[in-house]
Every structure is written in structure tokens, then in C-alpha cells.
Amino acid sequence: MSNEIAVVSDPTGLQKIKAYAALADVQQRFANLLGDYNAKRYVESIVIAVAINKDLQECSPKSIMISAMRAASLQLSVDPIMKQAHLVPMGREATIIVDYHGLVQLTVGTGYYKIPPNVFEVYKGEEVKLERFSGRIDIEGKAETDKDGNRIVIGWCGYFKAKDETERWLYMTNEECDAHGKKYSKAFNSPKSGWDT
């Protein structure tokens, strides 16, 4: 068995990102943000995210690292299993999109909330009642199930309570959520986006 390292004349996207991640300047920037030990772990999570996404492998290594650094500065992981922040290909450049779980983590970190923001499903058979004066939402009724025993989601409700006792509720039907996504999300019509999956 030879100990020689094979020279790659046309490296793949994954090989490029690994080489870029190994640069001393890149390693130092992450170490400045996270400390030496955590920086190494974080850079490996970037490589994992790129390894499992062929479209990210087509993006420039620099855009991947800059986006990951933004997430690291917010103390959010880009490891897909953590669902805190996602490296998302936009053509040949990567960008960062903070996931719901990441948003919750950021809000908890503020120390502002008595009950941090929470989002939950509203099911067919349940009725959402809005008290117009206060904005308070109550959900009444019992969730129905289909023939397979699954509950059917008809909308989503969000809630938080601040330490100063300020409360906020929001309810959106599936149709209202889709209309919001269509208006504001560039990835709404992409078959690989969360809107579709």
C-alpha cells in the first residue's frame, strides 16, 4: 500500500470546501468566534452540511464559509440535524437561513421571555376563537382524525409571553401561510424547499 497522496487535477465541490476549511485564516476566524476546540467541531459540521447537499457543493467555498460564520456569530449550528440554521444554495452562492428552532434559541438567549415563542398545529375539528379587543386566541373543540388515525392540520398558532407580562398570539390558516410564503420567500416554488416538503 502506497503512502503517497493522490493529486486531484479537478477537485469536486466537497474537496474544494474541505481545502478551503483547512486554510489557516479560515480556522483562525472560527477560533476567534468560538474558541479552538469548538471551532474545529463547527468547521466539521460545515463539511457535513456540504457533503449531504449536492447543490451546496456547486457553491463557492468562500460564500459557504461566510454564511457559516454568520451562523456561528449567532451561536447557531449549521449541522442539518440541529435545525438551527441552514446553508442554502442560491445559484452558485450560499446564504444562511435561520430555522424556527434557531429563532427560538435566539429569543431565549435574550432573557426577555417568560414563555418563549412557541408555534403549534391547529387541527380539523378545532375552532380558533379570537378575542378582538386583547388579541387573545383560544382553541376549542376536539381534533378529528382521518381514516388512518392521522390528525389533519388546518393552520398554525404562535404565542409568547414576555417577563413584563406582555402576551402575543397569532393564528394563520394553511392558506394564509402559503400566501405569506409565496409573497416573501424566494424558495417558495422550489421543489426542494421546506414549503414543498
Side-chain angles (χ1 to χ4, degrees), residues 115-182:
I115 300 173
N118 182 35
V119 174
F120 52 92
E121 301 91 341
V122 176
Y123 300 104
K124 183 177 180 182
E126 294 179 324
E127 184 179 356
V128 176
K129 296 203 172 192
L130 170 68
E131 184 184 299
R132 288 185 181 177
F133 183 73
S134 68
R136 180 181 184 87
I137 290 176
D138 286 314
I139 300 172
E140 298 177 358
K142 184 177 177 185
E144 298 173 11
T145 57
D146 62 16
K147 60 182 170 113
D148 297 322
N150 300 314
R151 293 180 288 183
I152 301 162
V153 177
I154 60 167
W156 299 86
C157 193
Y159 171 78
F160 75 79
K161 185 173 188 176
K163 287 184 177 175
D164 67 0
E165 301 299 320
T166 301
E167 294 178 285
R168 293 289 182 268
W169 295 264
L170 175 67
Y171 171 69
M172 294 176 79
T173 64
N174 287 344
E175 295 76 20
E176 289 170 328
C177 289
D178 286 344
H180 180 84
K182 190 173 186 179

Side-chain angles (χ1 to χ4, degrees), residues 48-80:
I48 289 168
V50 173
I52 63 174
N53 187 326
K54 295 257 187 239
D55 293 334
L56 268 178
Q57 294 174 29
E58 299 297 318
C59 293
S60 75
K62 183 177 181 180
S63 72
I64 291 169
M65 286 300 167
I66 288 172
S67 295
M69 240 177 259
R70 285 188 179 126
S73 72
L74 296 170
Q75 298 180 349
L76 298 176
S77 173
V78 294
D79 186 332

Side-chain angles (χ1 to χ4, degrees), residues 74-77 84 100-110:
L74 296 170
Q75 298 180 349
L76 298 176
S77 173
Q84 292 180 352
Y100 166 73
H101 297 91
L103 291 173
V104 170
Q105 181 174 325
L106 289 172
T107 60
V108 169
T110 67

Side-chain angles (χ1 to χ4, degrees), residues 3-91:
N3 288 331
E4 293 179 19
I5 298 173
V7 176
V8 179
S9 59
D10 186 21
T12 66
L14 184 57
Q15 290 166 329
K16 288 178 186 176
I17 192 67
K18 284 181 177 179
Y20 197 87
L23 294 173
D25 184 50
V26 171
Q27 295 280 331
Q28 187 57 52
R29 286 176 184 260
F30 278 98
N32 291 345
L33 275 172
L34 305 167
D36 288 331
Y37 175 73
N38 288 329
K40 289 177 180 156
R41 293 174 54 216
Y42 199 92
V43 170
E44 283 304 313
S45 73
I46 299 166
V47 173
I48 289 168
V50 173
I52 63 174
N53 187 326
K54 295 257 187 239
D55 293 334
L56 268 178
Q57 294 174 29
E58 299 297 318
C59 293
S60 75
K62 183 177 181 180
S63 72
I64 291 169
M65 286 300 167
I66 288 172
S67 295
M69 240 177 259
R70 285 188 179 126
S73 72
L74 296 170
Q75 298 180 349
L76 298 176
S77 173
V78 294
D79 186 332
I81 201 165
M82 298 299 290
K83 296 182 179 178
Q84 292 180 352
H86 302 281
L87 295 170
V88 178
M90 298 283 186

